[in-house]
Amino acid sequence: MNTMPEDRKVILITGTSKGIGLYLAQHYISKGFQVIGCSRNSVDFSDSLYTHICADISEEQDILEIYKFIRKDIKRLDVLINNAAINPAIVSAALLPYETISQTFRTNVFAPMLFCREAVKLMTRNKFGRIINMGSMASKHEVPGEALYTSTKTALNAYSRVLAKEVAKAGITVNVIAPSAIKTELSGKINPMALQEVLSRNAIAEYGEMNDVSNIIDVLIKEESSAITGQIIYLGGV
Amino acid sequence: MDVLELIYEVIDELNLDLGPSEQLKKDENSVIFGPESTLDSMGLVNLITLIEQRIEEKTGNFIAIADERAMSMQESPFKTVKTLKEYIEVLLNEYNA
C-alpha cells in the first residue's frame, strides 16, 4: 500500500548508482522527497523514501516499465532529472565506430527524450512539473576527442529549449544544468592534464563540487521558479 | 469497450479546463489537431494521455496511441475524433488478437 502523503513531491532521477546521480538521490531523500532512481546496477543503500529500479535506459521498454510503475503505484511525478550518461570513447571523430555512436546517442539523447515524453504526460495531470537535463561544459569548449559526447549533450540542449516552449503552458519547466568537471567515474576517464587545460578556460579553473549541482537544482525545482525555463545554466564560469 | 464513449468521457474532462471558445465538441467530426482544432499541441497531448490512461485503467494494459505507425500514416489518425476512434480500435484489436 502506498502511504505517501499527498503533498510529498516525487522526483525521478536516472543513473543513481554512482556519481552525481547517487549524490542527488541522497540529497533529495534528505530533503523529504519520494525518490525513484534507476540504473543498470542495484544500489548499496536503502531508504523508506527511495525506490530503485534496475533498467537499461537505452531500451524504450525499460523506460516504459518505470513509468508504468510510477502511474500505478506512485500516481504522480513532480521532478525529473535526466542525469545518466555515458562517454565510452574519448577518441578522434575519425575513429568512432558506428555502434559506439549509436549506443552513446541511445543513452545520452534518446533516453532523456523518452523520459521527458513520459514525464510530460504525467506532469500535465497536475499542471506542474520540473525537468532538469544534465548538460556539459563540453558543449561550450569543443574539446578534441570529445566529438561524440559533446554532440549528444548539445543535442540535449536544443531539445530542452524546444520542449520548454511546448510545455510551458502546462506549468512545466525544462532546464539544462551543465556542471563544471566534477570528480566522478565519468570524468576520471579523461586525461587529467587535458581536463586541467579545459578547466583553465573557465572563470573558476577548478573542479566543481556535487553541491554546486544540487544548489542550482534546488532553486529550479521550487514552485516559485515557474518563470525559469529553457535555460542552459553553465556552472564554474564556463 | 466503447471507444467513442471513452473518448467523449475524456473530452468532458478536458473541457473542464478549457475556456468557452476552446471547448471541444463531442462529435465524431470534431477536429483534434491542426489550425481548425480548438486544441493546441498540449491539448492534444492531454487528450491522448488521458485516453491511454483510461484504457490502462479499464484493461490493465498500456497501449501507446502515438506510435510510429500513427506518425507515418498518410492520413493522420489525429485528425478528427472519428479517425482517432478508428485507430484506437485497430490498436485494441491487434493487442487482443
Side-chain angles (χ1 to χ4, degrees):
Chain A
M1 189 175 68
N2 180 19
T3 54
M4 190 180 79
E6 281 189 10
D7 60 345
R8 192 185 295 285
K9 282 197 160 39
V10 178
I11 182 165
L12 169 60
I13 307 171
T14 66
T16 49
S17 64
K18 58 193 175 189
I20 296 171
L22 173 61
Y23 167 80
L24 290 174
Q26 293 176 332
H27 174 77
Y28 287 108
I29 290 167
S30 74
K31 284 182 158 286
F33 282 75
Q34 175 78 31
V35 179
I36 301 155
C38 68
S39 62
R40 276 179 187 270
N41 305 314
S42 56
V43 290
D44 57 6
F45 73 94
S46 63
D47 192 286
S48 60
L49 288 178
Y50 183 76
T51 304
H52 190 78
I53 300 170
C54 287
D56 176 358
I57 64 164
S58 67
E59 296 292 335
E60 182 185 21
Q61 196 53 44
D62 281 20
I63 296 172
L64 293 179
E65 288 297 326
I66 292 170
Y67 279 95
K68 190 173 183 181
F69 162 73
I70 296 173
R71 280 196 306 273
K72 283 195 169 172
D73 292 10
I74 311 288
K75 300 187 185 345
R76 65 182 277 183
L77 181 64
D78 301 281
V79 180
L80 164 66
I81 302 177
N82 271 311
N83 162 73
I86 57 172
N87 189 7
I90 299 171
V91 65
S92 166
L95 298 176
L96 282 168
Y98 173 78
E99 191 47 46
T100 304
I101 296 171
S102 174
Q103 183 61 32
T104 308
F105 265 84
R106 283 203 297 273
T107 303
N108 294 9
V109 183
F110 297 0
M113 286 170 132
L114 296 173
F115 272 100
C116 286
R117 181 187 76 191
E118 298 304 315
V120 165
K121 291 179 181 177
L122 270 167
M123 289 169 172
T124 49
R125 287 188 196 176
N126 294 331
K127 296 187 172 51
F128 175 85
R130 299 283 181 262
I131 295 175
I132 307 291
N133 291 327
M134 296 301 288
S136 170
M137 65 174 182
S139 296
K140 283 270 192 179
H141 288 322
E142 297 159 354
V143 184
E146 295 267 15
L148 176 56
Y149 181 75
T150 303
S151 58
T152 63
K153 289 300 181 184
T154 308
L156 196 55
N157 288 352
Y159 172 80
S160 302
R161 286 178 57 80
V162 176
L163 181 64
K165 289 179 180 170
E166 288 185 2
V167 300
K169 210 176 143 187
I172 302 169
T173 66
V174 186
N175 291 289
V176 176
I177 304 298
S180 180
I182 290 173
K183 283 183 177 164
T184 63
E185 194 179 301
L186 197 68
S187 65
K189 290 180 179 176
I190 304 169
N191 177 315
M193 297 286 279
L195 189 56
Q196 201 56 58
E197 188 281 317
V198 173
L199 279 170
S200 72
R201 305 182 203 175
N202 295 349
I204 301 167
E206 291 158 16
Y207 279 92
E209 300 290 337
M210 298 282 194
N211 63 12
D212 296 335
V213 179
S214 58
N215 177 45
I216 186 66
I217 296 178
D218 286 350
V219 173
L220 292 173
I221 66 176
K222 283 182 180 176
E223 293 196 12
E224 300 90 318
S225 298
S226 58
I228 310 172
T229 193
Q231 300 305 300
I232 299 160
I233 301 169
Y234 290 91
L235 304 180
V238 174
Chain B
M1 185 192 317
D2 186 334
V3 175
L4 187 61
E5 193 52 41
L6 185 143
I7 294 174
Y8 285 168
E9 283 173 22
V10 168
I11 290 176
D12 277 337
E13 191 174 335
L14 277 182
N15 280 340
L16 292 174
D17 288 332
L18 296 173
S21 63
E22 299 167 319
Q23 296 283 305
L24 187 62
K25 278 189 189 157
K26 289 196 286 185
D27 185 309
E28 287 198 59
N29 295 317
S30 287
V31 179
I32 57 173
F33 185 61
E36 292 170 54
S37 176
T38 58
L39 293 180
D40 60 13
S41 59
M42 279 312 289
L44 180 66
V45 170
N46 274 335
L47 177 73
I48 301 296
T49 302
L50 285 169
I51 292 170
E52 287 175 343
Q53 187 187 321
R54 291 287 169 92
I55 292 173
E56 189 173 28
E57 283 165 9
K58 285 181 192 286
T59 67
N61 300 315
F62 178 78
I63 293 171
I65 298 169
D67 62 1
E68 267 143 33
R69 182 168 41 165
M71 298 300 164
S72 61
M73 286 167 76
Q74 221 161 21
E75 183 91 359
S76 170
F78 307 124
K79 197 172 171 189
T80 64
V81 167
K82 185 170 186 285
T83 58
L84 180 62
K85 181 202 81 166
E86 288 169 353
Y87 189 65
I88 294 170
E89 285 172 344
V90 168
L91 292 175
L92 288 171
N93 286 337
E94 285 178 357
Y95 195 87
N96 294 325

